[in-house]
Amino acid sequence: MIGKSVIRKEAWDKVTGRAKYTHDYFEVGMLHAKLVTSPYAHARIREIHTEKAGSVPGVRAIVTGEGLPLTGEDLRDRPPIAFDKVRYHGEVVAVVVADTLVQAEKAANLIHVAYEPLPSVGSPREALQEGAPLIHENLANYQKGKYSYPEPGTNIAHRTKIRKGNMEKGWAESDVVIEASFAFAPSDHAALEIRCATAEIRQDGTIVIIASSQAPFMIKRLIGEYFGEDVGKVIVHTPLVGGAYGGKAPVQLELLAYLASKAVGGRKVSVWNTREQDMITSPVHIGMEATVKIGCTADGYIKAAEILFLFDGGAYSDKAIDVTRAAAVDCTGPYHIENVWCDSLCVYTNHPYASPFRSFGHCEQAFAIERTIDLLAEKLNIDKLELRMKNAIRPGHTTPTQVVLNRSNVGNLPACIARLRELIQWDEWQRIEINSRTVRAKGVSCGWKTSTIDTDASSGAILTFNPDGSVNLISGVVEIGTGTKTVLAQILSEKLKMDIDDIHVKMDIDTQTTPEHWKTVSSRGTFMAGRAVLSAADDAIRQLKAIAACVLRASAEDLEVGYGKVFLRDDPSIYVPIKDIVYGYKYPNGNAIGGQLIGRGHYILRHLTPLDKETGAGKPGPEWTVCAHAVEIEFDKRDYTYQIIKAASVIDIGKVLNRRAALGQVMGAMSMGLSFASRETFLFDRYERILNAQLRTYRPIRFGEHPEYMVEFIETPQIDAPYGARGVGEHGLIGMPAALANALSVAAEVPLNELPLFPELIWRTKEGKQYGSI
């Protein structure tokens, strides 16, 4: 079953419209909430007048932020509802609960908030300037995690340091040095399903939440921590999720739903974003400004790298701290560099606060690193793929956090580069003039990624059997569109040697009965849950053999399980059907042995360590997936427009478990990367208010606009992974922005170091224009 293109288990429900998502769980009598949000990016809240709103028929409660605890996973700096001041345009200042959504909206429009505008901060560099307005004056007093390092008196929420080798030695050995700066603003995840949640508090104190989330078990834990609730009484349900891309890893609307329900005596309340609120009120894709300096020998071997990442964490740190840490962990890109200095800062601004975005800080840092590599190649007058091949990370090298790599945990980047060279016919041409106006050009990049997650992150799985011998697979992985649960069924099918149609997968999550999976993020679903499923299968096999050994009067060591039977290894004609023993075996005389068979398994990440505060030394993840990318574009030299013709990715996936699913994941990620790079960004006015918070003015790549996607895989098995497979959900995205920028820089013959790559940006850069229409 491994390697086959199995149709996804939830496919039929999705294509027929039977699939249910969070907002489909409508109930008669359910109340509705409307969010009141700030029109200012930075302002004191002087007064909130709710009298008129409270008199609207049907209004049950109006919830404000006074007296609520601060929240945040790493640093508790965010009130669920702003009560002292607002720190970004779109921040929630009140929640109206009413019988109908129309009544809630009417009341929300009658709430009057008196604001005192404050100076706003619009970029990380601006936030770090002397005299910049402080966004969090009480930063020193916030509760923080052990490995969060805020810098009170500044707008720095956290700093990750990487110090490897000897920088003086590295610069002394460098014959050529290149330095460049890069920037892009925050943007959106644009998931098809907007964020939404419902909450109900039952008479016995049980809190039941339904949420479109990547982290239902984190919701359960945080509601207990923030509000002093008995965590055992918090039940979170997560059905199918209509896309997330990191944007549904933070916990936001779930807290508001809980507070709204509590305000109305525990009645069920639905909270959901409009599309505009989903773009500006809920967490966004992080922005960044960066400076990269690289030194190398005359023949192209990199000796030193000095890197500064200034991430736009927005108004609150939340998950942005993790994103900035992840970027630092892999700061050099997939290159062997002995001497590294990197500071990665999570900086407060008056923008919507940031969350992970598919690749978790890696496409962002890869844009800066891979553009710099291209600039270095041009300065050296060396082939760009050759420069990458020379410096490619290999077994025996160390990561920026000083982890020694081997063939299993890093794979084969040189093979990826070599295959990419053939796939895109790199040696035939890199830039050609089609006519006086039109140029074709190719750009390349490389990428890698490990998973900076909790060192004790774990995953569990349960297998129950049906009387016909089929199996029910229960895992805490959220089906967010990745098809991971189908892959888990394939892993189980392979292990038990049974038809995958006889494996029934529970898609929705119930935190009271589903075994926990840490979070469905960071390309960890297949690896962690896959190991848990294999462990559960081993447990089931042990039990099957124990019962069958009694029935067949043979040693359990002589038995095999598969094909619906438990049979003698040396004589398969002697067997007992699995269906006859999964609920116990009854002898002809009526005696019975065994009982209902339940397989259970778990997996916890091993040998991971936190990063040292001063050097960054530590092991942040179990493996590094490496990849190489290319983009071919056609560029119009007169009007600066361009068309993306082809995009290619070659990824060392370890082992392909489901080829079509893997291709779909990589192509989808490539599309997201190209869309982010070419057109997706928030446009802010001078008061840091978002101007384009709707899909008419914020335009991802649409169907019909896609290039030709080419995807190939290198297979260097990861020894400790399920059947050798590495995570791949994010890796098609990592190098796309850089590859596109590299191609356009070649075509336009000007360095393009900002995103997105609007034609106007290319024109301004090429012509030296300071101002445009944006």
Side-chain angles (χ1 to χ4, degrees):
M1 190 53 60
I2 294 301
K4 293 184 178 179
S5 298
V6 175
I7 295 173
R8 282 161 57 159
K9 286 288 186 177
E10 79 280 18
W12 183 250
D13 283 345
K14 285 184 174 179
V15 300
T16 58
R18 290 170 54 88
K20 281 194 171 186
Y21 297 81
T22 295
H23 204 51
D24 293 323
Y25 288 86
F26 182 85
E27 188 176 293
V28 175
M30 183 169 67
L31 302 181
H32 301 267
K34 178 65 179 178
L35 308 182
V36 180
T37 59
S38 169
Y40 295 95
H42 200 197
R44 295 280 176 198
I45 299 175
R46 292 307 183 191
E47 293 178 311
I48 300 180
H49 298 281
T50 63
E51 297 82 8
K52 289 183 179 179
S55 66
V56 172
V59 170
R60 300 291 177 173
I62 298 173
V63 187
T64 58
E66 187 174 0
L68 296 179
L70 294 176
T71 67
E73 286 190 39
D74 289 300
L75 178 64
R76 295 199 182 176
D77 58 2
R78 183 178 71 86
I81 303 172
F83 64 93
D84 177 22
K85 69 175 183 175
V86 293
R87 295 178 172 88
Y88 70 95
H89 170 227
E91 184 169 6
V92 178
V93 296
V95 180
V96 180
V97 186
D99 292 341
T100 69
L101 186 59
V102 171
Q103 292 168 331
E105 289 178 340
K106 183 177 180 180
N109 291 332
L110 293 174
I111 290 179
H112 174 70
V113 184
Y115 296 98
E116 177 190 331
L118 298 170
S120 55
V121 179
S123 73
R125 292 193 189 277
E126 181 184 340
L128 297 181
Q129 290 177 0
E130 187 175 350
L134 281 182
I135 297 171
H136 289 270
E137 301 90 338
N138 297 318
L139 184 55
N141 300 321
Y142 292 152
Q143 182 180 338
K144 66 182 185 68
K146 184 177 180 181
Y147 302 106
S148 298
Y149 310 117
E151 299 181 10
T154 74
N155 285 316
I156 300 173
H158 175 78
R159 181 191 301 262
T160 302
K161 297 179 182 178
I162 302 293
R163 305 290 188 265
K164 175 187 172 185
N166 184 320
M167 293 305 295
E168 291 184 4
K169 178 175 178 288
W171 295 125
E173 294 175 348
S174 298
D175 303 310
V176 177
V177 176
I178 193 80
E179 182 173 359
S181 294
F182 309 88
F184 50 84
S187 55
D188 191 46
H189 298 77
L192 188 62
E193 179 196 25
I194 46 83
R195 282 161 275 208
C196 49
T198 67
E200 176 186 13
I201 305 174
R202 294 173 180 165
Q203 288 186 348
D204 65 354
T206 300
I207 300 161
V208 181
I209 293 173
I210 305 175
S212 178
S213 172
Q214 295 174 254
F217 294 93
M218 186 59 67
I219 296 170
K220 179 184 179 81
R221 193 188 89 186
L222 293 181
I223 285 181
E225 289 183 4
Y226 295 156
F227 304 109
E229 299 285 2
D230 181 350
V231 72
K233 287 193 170 184
V234 181
I235 303 171
V236 182
H237 295 273
T238 296
L240 296 172
V241 173
Y245 316 118
K248 294 174 182 174
V251 179
Q252 184 202 27
L253 294 192
E254 299 84 1
L255 306 182
L256 301 182
Y258 160 79
L259 292 169
S261 179
K262 193 171 184 179
V264 294
R267 289 185 62 181
K268 181 175 284 190
V269 180
S270 170
V271 180
W272 58 281
N273 285 336
T274 63
R275 175 59 66 179
E276 182 175 88
Q277 285 175 332
D278 208 55
M279 297 178 82
I280 68 173
T281 296
S282 288
V284 302
H285 176 197
I286 205 164
M288 186 183 79
E289 296 176 323
T291 300
V292 179
K293 181 180 178 183
I294 294 179
C296 72
T297 62
D299 54 355
Y301 288 97
I302 299 174
K303 293 297 181 180
E306 184 176 313
I307 302 160
L308 176 65
F309 296 136
L310 302 178
F311 280 96
D312 186 344
Y316 302 105
S317 61
D318 203 66
K319 298 300 297 174
I321 286 177
D322 287 340
V323 174
T324 60
R325 186 186 293 119
V329 159
D330 293 332
C331 62
T332 59
Y335 304 110
H336 174 52
I337 307 177
E338 294 178 348
N339 308 294
V340 181
W341 180 101
C342 174
D343 271 12
S344 182
L345 277 63
C346 178
V347 182
Y348 289 122
T349 69
N350 290 120
H351 289 160
Y353 67 100
S355 76
F357 179 78
R358 195 173 187 173
S359 82
F360 211 90
H362 285 72
C363 70
E364 295 86 355
Q365 57 94 342
F367 172 66
I369 297 300
E370 293 297 318
R371 279 292 299 126
T372 308
I373 294 290
D374 252 35
L375 294 171
L376 182 61
E378 290 168 5
K379 191 168 185 178
L380 289 167
N381 194 28
I382 188 173
D383 180 271
K384 293 168 182 176
L385 278 180
E386 181 59 31
L387 179 62
R388 288 171 168 86
M389 182 70 86
K390 277 189 174 186
N391 294 283
I393 200 82
R394 290 173 167 84
H397 293 160
T398 57
T399 71
T401 64
Q402 303 177 44
V403 177
V404 179
L405 298 170
N406 57 51
R407 180 177 171 83
S408 171
N409 66 15
V410 76
N412 193 337
L413 180 60
C416 293
I417 295 173
R419 183 65 192 113
L420 184 77
R421 181 186 287 271
E422 298 170 354
L423 188 63
I424 64 170
Q425 300 176 323
W426 176 258
D427 293 329
E428 292 189 12
W429 59 274
Q430 286 102 55
R431 184 183 191 275
I432 53 174
E433 300 270 352
I434 303 297
N435 53 47
S436 60
R437 279 184 58 176
T438 308
V439 175
R440 279 207 176 191
K442 299 172 185 174
V444 295
S445 66
C446 291
W448 70 339
K449 182 184 183 297
T450 191
S451 304
T452 46
I453 61 178
D454 290 1
T455 58
D456 61 348
S458 64
S459 184
I462 294 174
L463 307 178
T464 63
F465 286 78
N466 300 307
D468 61 357
S470 62
V471 181
N472 306 308
L473 168 57
I474 309 170
S475 163
V477 172
V478 178
E479 184 46 73
I480 55 176
T482 57
T484 301
K485 288 201 166 180
T486 300
V487 170
L488 295 181
Q490 288 183 260
I491 290 170
L492 182 59
S493 171
E494 183 77 15
K495 183 69 174 179
L496 295 181
K497 300 181 181 66
M498 65 185 299
D499 192 321
I500 196 168
D501 290 336
D502 290 331
I503 297 175
H504 310 292
V505 182
K506 187 175 187 292
M507 287 293 167
D508 59 313
I509 305 298
D510 176 343
T511 59
Q512 193 173 41
T513 59
T514 306
E516 182 166 341
H517 177 78
W518 178 68
K519 293 179 186 178
T520 306
V521 297
S522 200
S523 299
R524 290 297 85 201
T526 298
F527 177 71
M528 291 174 60
R531 286 291 303 266
V533 167
L534 288 174
S535 175
D538 285 334
D539 185 38
I541 289 169
R542 178 186 58 78
Q543 295 177 60
L544 288 167
K545 287 182 176 181
I547 298 171
C550 296
V551 175
L552 299 175
R553 298 177 178 83
S555 168
E557 287 74 20
D558 291 337
L559 301 178
E560 289 288 347
V561 175
Y563 317 105
K565 307 172 183 178
V566 183
F567 55 89
L568 280 178
R569 182 185 293 115
D570 57 309
D571 187 356
S573 67
I574 300 174
Y575 68 89
V576 59
I578 285 177
K579 66 182 180 63
D580 290 349
I581 59 176
V582 291
Y583 278 83
Y585 180 80
K586 187 165 71 172
Y587 288 101
N589 67 358
N591 293 166
I593 59 171
Q596 183 181 8
L597 196 149
I598 301 173
R600 58 190 180 92
H602 59 85
Y603 176 76
I604 190 166
L605 292 169
R606 55 179 169 78
H607 297 165
L608 303 190
T609 64
L611 304 184
D612 182 271
K613 180 181 179 181
E614 298 303 324
T615 67
K619 186 177 181 181
E623 98 290 345
W624 285 255
T625 298
V626 291
C627 42
H629 310 275
V631 172
E632 181 181 326
I633 56 97
E634 192 171 277
F635 177 69
D636 189 315
K637 294 189 291 182
R638 189 185 73 177
D639 60 18
Y640 299 93
T641 59
Y642 61 92
Q643 181 180 1
I644 304 172
I645 307 299
K646 296 178 182 178
S649 289
V650 181
I651 302 173
D652 192 335
I653 197 173
K655 177 67 177 178
V656 176
L657 299 183
N658 184 319
R659 180 161 294 277
R660 283 181 181 258
L663 290 173
Q665 283 297 293
V666 175
M667 289 180 186
M670 292 166 71
S671 170
M672 287 189 70
L674 292 174
S675 190
F676 158 51
S678 62
R679 58 177 75 185
E680 290 193 46
T681 190
F682 285 136
L683 303 177
F684 295 90
D685 67 11
R686 59 180 176 149
Y687 302 109
E688 303 308 325
R689 297 176 298 191
I690 294 174
L691 299 174
N692 61 328
Q694 43 186 276
L695 294 180
R696 286 183 298 233
T697 51
Y698 183 100
R699 295 182 56 82
I701 290 178
R702 263 65 167 178
F703 285 109
E705 299 176 330
H706 291 283
E708 176 189 352
Y709 294 112
M710 300 182 290
V711 178
E712 291 201 10
F713 298 114
I714 303 298
E715 294 186 299
T716 310
Q718 180 185 340
I719 292 172
D720 60 330
Y723 296 104
R726 293 192 183 86
V728 77
E730 302 166 288
H731 298 80
L733 193 155
I734 293 174
M736 284 294 113
L740 178 61
N742 287 339
L744 282 168
S745 296
V746 169
E749 299 180 299
V750 62
L752 299 170
N753 296 342
E754 295 181 37
L755 297 176
L757 295 157
F758 290 139
E760 184 174 333
L761 171 70
I762 304 172
W763 168 72
R764 288 205 313 262
T765 307
K766 181 75 171 178
E767 303 298 330
K769 305 294 184 182
Q770 295 299 311
Y771 304 101
S773 61
I774 294 177

